[in-house]
Amino acid sequence: MSNELKTDNNTDTILNLAAQVGKALQAKGLILATAESCTGGGVAQAITEIAGSTAWFDCGFIAYSNASKTELLDVSAALIAQMGSVSEEVAAAMATGALGSSNAHLALSTTGIAGPTGAVPGKPVGTVCFGWANADTVHTERLVFSGDRKAVREQTVIHALQGLLRFID
């Protein structure tokens, strides 16, 4: 029962953040694109739950495999090989690639290890890298979340939206 309540609270938090993002983007006349790996489209889903999101959301890329990161977002295969797909460098390239492959002014990206498997030395389960980009700058972060796969993905969506709000201002 408490797990169900937690999910409802996270859902409410995510939808509230998505609505705040929409208001902030619309107030500045900006359009958003997303490039998601570990969240599997969770950020885009939250955004499109908000009525009127057509006015401020262009598209979302779910680039789960390394090949799709290269093909859809123009992330260098050499960069992925050198840094790993879960890295701030790849998150930056994903966000930049989403800008270049869309009509957006801003993009956010998520790439991580939601678990329960996939950990590598220095990158435990729960490691997530984020990118937020516009035409002038890219900001990245690396965090490690705790919990099961669902919890890691929900925390990632929440942080991605919170980071976007900070990036917009």
Side-chain angles (χ1 to χ4, degrees):
M1 186 79 166
S2 63
N3 202 7
E4 184 177 313
L5 292 174
K6 183 178 180 186
T7 299
D8 289 344
N9 287 340
N10 282 342
T11 299
D12 290 345
T13 298
I14 289 168
L15 293 177
N16 183 23
L17 284 166
Q20 290 177 50
V21 163
K23 287 178 186 167
L25 289 169
Q26 202 159 18
K28 296 197 176 200
L30 299 173
I31 306 288
L32 174 68
T34 60
E36 302 180 66
S37 185
C38 65
T39 47
V43 176
Q45 179 182 359
I47 287 167
T48 57
E49 285 288 332
I50 307 305
S53 56
T54 303
W56 46 271
F57 183 65
D58 183 45
C59 63
F61 299 90
I62 302 173
Y64 207 71
S65 70
N66 290 342
S68 67
K69 288 173 181 65
T70 299
E71 293 165 14
L72 297 174
L73 300 169
D74 203 28
V75 177
S76 161
L79 179 67
I80 294 170
Q82 179 183 7
M83 305 308 297
S85 60
V86 179
S87 63
E88 288 184 67
E89 294 83 358
V90 168
M94 289 173 65
T96 301
L99 280 179
S101 297
S102 71
N103 295 310
H105 305 106
L106 297 171
L108 72 79
S109 65
T110 62
T111 183
I113 306 166
T117 61
V120 297
K123 296 177 186 177
V125 168
T127 302
V128 180
C129 295
F130 300 85
W132 298 273
N134 61 28
D136 300 321
T137 188
V138 180
H139 177 75
T140 62
E141 288 183 15
R142 179 184 187 261
L143 297 175
V144 179
F145 296 112
S146 61
D148 64 10
R149 182 176 181 82
K150 182 177 181 184
V152 168
R153 288 164 53 113
E154 286 178 344
Q155 291 170 83
T156 300
V157 171
I158 289 168
H159 188 77
L161 293 170
Q162 289 170 334
L164 182 60
L165 283 170
R166 289 189 296 274
F167 192 74
I168 292 168
D169 288 337

